[in-house]
Amino acid sequence: MARWTQAALLLMCFCAGSCEDALPEFATETVINTVVQDSQTGRVYLGAVNAVYQLDSALVQERVTITGPKRDSRQCTPPISQTCADPKLTDNVNKLLLVHEANGSLVVCGSLFKGLCSLLNLSNIDEQVYYNDAKGEKTYVASIEETVSVVGVMSTFPKNGEQLSVFLVGKGYGSQDSAKLVSTRILQDYRDWVVFENIVEASAVQANPFVLKFLHNFRHAFKDDGFVYFLFSRTRGGTDNKNFTFVSRLCEGDPHYYSYTELQLNCGPGNAYNKVRSAYVASPGEELAQPHRRGDARTRLVQGQGAVPRTRSCSPC
Ligand SMILES: *[C@@H]1O[C@H](CO)[C@@H](O)[C@H](O)[C@H]1NC(C)=O
Ligand SMILES: *[C@@H]1O[C@H](CO)[C@@H](O)[C@H](O)[C@H]1NC(C)=O
Ligand SMILES: *[C@@H]1O[C@H](CO)[C@@H](O)[C@H](O)[C@H]1NC(C)=O
């Protein structure tokens, strides 16, 4: 299941005394799939169905850009031309938003046109900074299937003494998508590479049979201390279909993903909370850090569990 959360976003408010003022709130007409904040400006961007919103830090709308529906067909290769047999008006599920600070742009990947991405101006998302639908399969990033979840994180990739801007993507299996579970997407043209092309070939996490069998459901991606982490659930590839939650890790800038490792997270008695729904990275408070203290207090992953009212914590140990 994709993250079909309600189409409303609440901003947490920490008040010294009583919290009588209403929390800022912003509602959209369509479902919100993904949210990202620019830490420099405080702006919040919402990836909804057929629209991307630009809000200020108090959740007041600055801009909205309409990204769908558009004429598309799963069978056709973009750009959709006269030769495409039966294009239909298709919703654009905006699945992935990332702030590309160095470029002043927002990376936006939707479900239209094989999951192509574009770059929009961070201070005015109506202005398209980059879009090219003619570069072929290597530039398809997200999934055309509404329910396939996609997560990503900005990073850099060392090449010939340069640090190239890239983003890493974790994506579940969609029957008509590329079969890459994890990919590294470049954000500039560089030699033979074009913007959004996958620049790492690593069979261990990109092979078709592997992805199909395990029903990966990505929930979160983040960076910490030179590593990139993905949080997801998947089955063990057997027939029972039971899901387990994993955190996987690889070194930032590992050009072959040789450092890729996975660790299962068991939550609750008998692993009752076996499927991760959402996650947030925070520093542990004193109590949470206590049983796991090993020298310094480290970043702790907090794993939210769907309908369970109180947040539970998981730690890889
Ligand atoms: C975004 O828009 C601002 C204001 O119009 C402009 O100054 C800036 O150069 C634009 N950035 C990009 C990446 O196009
Ligand atoms: C942002 O990136 C795009 C795609 O690589 C490029 O065309 C554009 O010139 C860049 N703009 C800036 C301001 O770096
Ligand atoms: C495990 O998760 C997948 C997708 O996230 C779902 O299709 C499947 O039904 C789940 N299995 C069980 C037993 O709930």
Side-chain angles (χ1 to χ4, degrees):
M1 280 292 287
R3 209 173 333 174
W4 300 134
T5 47
Q6 73 225 47
L9 183 76
L10 293 171
L11 191 70
M12 293 296 284
C13 139
F14 299 97
C15 310
S18 63
C19 201
E20 274 158 13
D21 293 341
L23 296 171
E25 192 173 315
F26 183 80
T28 57
E29 278 168 30
T30 53
V31 169
I32 298 169
N33 306 296
T34 181
V35 178
V36 71
Q37 184 170 33
D38 181 348
S39 57
Q40 303 281 313
T41 62
R43 281 196 182 106
V44 174
Y45 302 89
L46 312 180
V49 174
N50 294 330
V52 177
Y53 294 81
Q54 172 185 332
L55 314 180
D56 69 11
S57 56
L59 301 190
V60 175
Q61 181 175 318
E62 293 181 337
R63 308 264 174 180
V64 56
T65 186
I66 302 303
T67 64
K70 289 184 181 166
R71 289 170 70 75
D72 190 16
S73 165
R74 289 186 176 188
Q75 273 68 47
C76 300
T77 302
I80 302 301
S81 65
Q82 303 292 338
T83 55
C84 179
D86 191 20
K88 291 191 173 57
L89 272 185
T90 310
D91 282 342
N92 191 1
V93 183
N94 290 297
K95 291 174 181 254
L96 180 64
L97 300 182
L98 292 168
V99 173
H100 182 10
E101 208 71 70
N103 186 254
S105 65
L106 183 71
V107 181
V108 180
C109 308
S111 59
L112 278 183
F113 309 133
K114 304 274 187 188
L116 275 176
C117 304
S118 58
L119 298 176
L120 307 181
N121 190 324
L122 272 179
S123 51
N124 171 14
I125 56 164
D126 280 336
E127 185 193 318
Q128 199 165 267
V129 174
Y130 178 90
Y131 179 73
N132 192 328
D133 60 4
K135 296 286 183 182
E137 189 180 342
K138 61 193 176 191
T139 61
Y140 305 161
V141 176
S143 176
I144 57 176
E145 288 177 36
E146 294 189 350
T147 55
V148 172
S149 65
V150 180
V151 300
V153 59
M154 293 294 298
S155 181
T156 53
F157 188 86
K159 185 78 182 173
N160 302 329
E162 280 184 68
Q163 292 290 332
L164 304 176
S165 287
V166 298
F167 60 108
L168 273 80
V169 178
K171 185 182 75 64
Y173 175 78
S175 58
Q176 300 189 43
D177 300 334
S178 85
K180 292 173 174 35
L181 201 59
V182 174
S183 60
T184 298
R185 304 295 181 151
I186 190 164
L187 279 158
Q188 65 185 73
D189 291 333
Y190 184 86
R191 301 199 174 161
D192 288 344
W193 292 330
V194 297
V195 180
F196 298 132
E197 181 167 351
N198 170 49
I199 61 168
V200 171
E201 291 301 332
S203 55
V205 291
Q206 295 182 343
N208 200 346
F210 180 84
V211 180
L212 170 62
K213 201 166 140 194
F214 294 89
L215 296 173
H216 282 81
N217 191 232
F218 282 89
R219 278 286 159 251
H220 194 53
F222 64 97
K223 266 191 315 193
D224 186 51
D225 205 15
F227 295 104
V228 169
Y229 294 83
F230 292 97
L231 194 73
F232 59 90
S233 59
R234 66 165 168 83
T235 70
R236 283 175 170 153
T239 47
D240 74 347
N241 225 13
K242 185 163 164 45
N243 287 293
F244 296 88
T245 290
F246 293 83
V247 61
S248 69
R249 185 178 88 165
L250 70 162
C251 298
E252 243 192 312
D254 172 355
H256 307 286
Y257 300 164
Y258 290 157
S259 57
Y260 184 90
T261 50
E262 289 181 355
L263 195 67
Q264 189 182 320
L265 303 179
N266 287 322
C267 292
N271 194 19
Y273 308 103
N274 62 314
K275 196 162 192 286
V276 59
R277 307 276 175 188
S278 69
Y280 185 75
V281 177
S283 301
E286 204 165 305
E287 199 181 329
L288 187 60
Q290 205 76 52
H292 304 281
R293 186 166 286 151
R294 299 223 181 87
D296 58 339
R298 296 299 310 265
T299 312
R300 179 57 70 67
L301 184 65
V302 177
Q303 179 186 336
Q305 296 287 355
V308 181
R310 289 176 55 201
T311 308
R312 288 165 192 277
S313 69
C314 281
S315 64
C317 54

